[in-house]
Amino acid sequence: MKRMFLLAVLALGLVLGSACGARTNSQGDSPNEELIVIGMSQVGAESDWRVANSESMKAVFSEENGYRLLFNDARQKQENQITAIRRFIQQQVDYIVLMPISESGWDSVLQEAKEASIPVILVDRMADVEDESLYAAHIGSDFLREGTLAVNWMESGFRERGETLGIIHIQGTLGSTAQLGRTAALEAAIETHGHWELLAQLDGDFTQAKAYEVMTDYLSGVPGQRRIDVVYCENDNIAFGALQALEEQGYRCGREGVNIITFDATRGALAECLNGKISLVVECNPLLGPLVEEAIQTMEAGGTPEKHRYVEEQAFTQEDLTEALIACREY
Ligand code: GYE
């Protein structure tokens, strides 16, 4: 309501040719009161992707752009996200932006937001809620498609291979949409390719430290050197941890050795792909701030944003990359 009044005042100001800046009103209130207030619950800072995603949000939802951003870092705990959302509801923010750590467990808190008439925008991962009206829009990646890009590359790269293809799979945070989609693509392909063998499935929790630890533990338990053809890493930081562990144990990584596959396409991973140590990088775009703003502006104008919006993404191998291309990337 307050915003409707503001828009009316603003429109009047424009008609009268007044010099008023956007979102100030004629009553002498502090301009800050006229900012659109966004309560944002971010998963954490577990990966380079996540840091780039937070930066994209902070760059868009700035005071100069007409927003007041209440940013909460949940330090990878769903209970922290739920507490933050309840606080945003008490503070009567205009919108809640939620990057859900995992898919389940959101029904009641999102119901509370709905009862308070605060639209919720899901970003990056999804929330698996029974009632779709509990969120206004979802903006993120199609993780199953990303996994399928990786699997297609494996299928064509190892087509001629008669012998067993030994695969290690290091997963991201269990129960998150990114993990579920990327895992589903690999598991479905393993089912259909009789000679693809899953040597191990490890939990890397999307962090470099965890991936390094689980990969080191695994390799230390293998007598001598085992033939490993592919390490399917569910994000770049997992790939960095796995690469370090493999090299420390004397494995050679690259097309002639262990083929590391990764997701995100941060500059660090693309550089390792260009130098030949990572074989395939599947892009996952974290720069979602402008799309979230579009959805909010659609609602501000009384419209309905698209319910699900997926960003375009591609896959890179060494041949696709140059130093100049990597330098141009924003993350
Ligand atoms: O791949 C990973 C991050 O949900 C897309 O989460 C995101 C994933 C991303 O920690 O690096």
Side-chain angles (χ1 to χ4, degrees):
M1 259 339 264
K2 196 171 72 185
R3 282 201 314 280
M4 295 281 287
F5 170 71
L6 168 70
L7 287 175
V9 169
L10 184 61
L12 186 68
L14 288 174
V15 168
L16 298 177
S18 102
C20 288
R23 293 189 183 271
T24 56
N25 69 21
S26 58
Q27 309 200 320
D29 289 353
S30 139
N32 278 353
E33 288 198 2
E34 310 311 333
L35 299 172
I36 299 177
V37 182
I38 313 280
M40 185 174 291
S41 172
Q42 176 60 287
V43 170
E46 75 283 3
S47 66
D48 298 340
W49 186 100
R50 186 68 53 200
V51 172
N53 181 246
S54 296
E55 280 170 6
S56 170
M57 298 297 157
K58 287 175 184 170
V60 167
F61 295 111
S62 64
E63 295 216 353
E64 303 86 80
N65 291 344
Y67 301 96
R68 181 156 167 250
L69 178 62
L70 309 177
F71 183 90
N72 183 271
D73 175 338
R75 300 186 312 282
Q76 277 189 281
K77 288 209 163 54
Q78 185 172 29
E79 70 239 42
N80 292 344
Q81 294 204 287
I82 291 173
T83 308
I85 294 171
R86 294 216 162 106
R87 199 169 335 110
F88 296 149
I89 296 172
Q90 277 166 10
Q91 290 169 311
Q92 297 181 300
V93 300
D94 296 314
Y95 297 91
I96 290 174
V97 174
L98 167 65
M99 291 77 166
I101 182 157
S102 53
E103 288 201 346
S104 58
W106 297 106
D107 295 83
S108 11
V109 75
L110 295 193
Q111 182 63 39
E112 291 165 35
K114 185 179 175 182
E115 279 157 19
S117 303
I118 303 175
V120 173
I121 298 158
L122 301 176
V123 173
D124 158 28
R125 306 172 183 172
M126 263 297 289
D128 182 15
V129 283
E130 281 201 4
D131 173 3
E132 279 225 330
S133 77
L134 293 184
Y135 60 92
H138 167 239
I139 297 159
S141 299
D142 182 341
F143 301 112
L144 182 62
R145 181 179 174 273
E146 291 177 353
T148 305
L149 286 176
V151 160
N152 290 347
W153 179 85
M154 287 167 69
E155 280 166 351
S156 55
F158 299 102
R159 184 172 293 134
E160 309 304 328
R161 252 316 250 292
E163 344 141 34
T164 302
L165 189 76
I167 304 166
I168 294 184
H169 177 196
I170 314 184
Q171 297 178 285
T173 305
L174 299 177
S176 69
T177 316
Q179 176 270 311
L180 293 168
R182 293 167 186 168
T183 292
L186 179 65
E187 287 182 341
I190 289 175
E191 287 265 306
T192 58
H193 296 279
H195 67 300
W196 288 19
E197 189 192 346
L198 184 63
L199 303 174
Q201 193 168 51
L202 311 171
D203 177 7
D205 201 19
F206 284 133
T207 71
Q208 188 160 339
K210 184 80 191 290
Y212 173 75
E213 183 191 313
V214 295
M215 193 66 185
T216 301
D217 277 0
Y218 171 78
L219 295 172
S220 320
V222 172
Q225 276 217 353
R226 174 162 207 181
R227 168 137 183 201
I228 302 168
D229 298 297
V230 172
V231 182
Y232 184 98
C233 302
E234 288 189 0
N235 80 342
D236 287 351
N237 293 82
I238 289 182
F240 301 147
L243 174 62
Q244 190 189 343
L246 283 157
E247 287 189 331
E248 279 179 14
Q249 309 273 333
Y251 286 84
R252 190 152 153 239
C253 296
R255 289 299 283 134
E256 302 309 320
V258 181
N259 286 271
I260 296 181
I261 294 179
T262 184
F263 298 85
D264 283 351
T266 56
R267 273 203 218 102
L270 292 173
E272 294 291 9
C273 185
L274 180 61
N275 75 23
K277 291 191 177 181
I278 290 183
S279 300
L280 179 76
V281 179
V282 179
E283 185 180 35
C284 178
N285 189 345
L287 308 176
L288 303 175
L291 301 184
V292 178
E293 185 184 31
E294 257 181 53
I296 286 176
Q297 286 304 328
T298 301
M299 287 188 266
E300 285 288 297
T304 308
E306 234 177 289
K307 194 79 182 181
H308 291 275
R309 190 155 174 197
Y310 295 111
V311 280
E312 282 289 312
E313 290 161 344
Q314 64 181 113
F316 301 94
T317 57
Q318 191 181 36
E319 299 72 48
D320 304 314
L321 295 169
T322 59
E323 272 178 23
L325 189 145
I326 298 173
C328 290
R329 306 254 315 162
E330 282 183 64
Y331 64 99

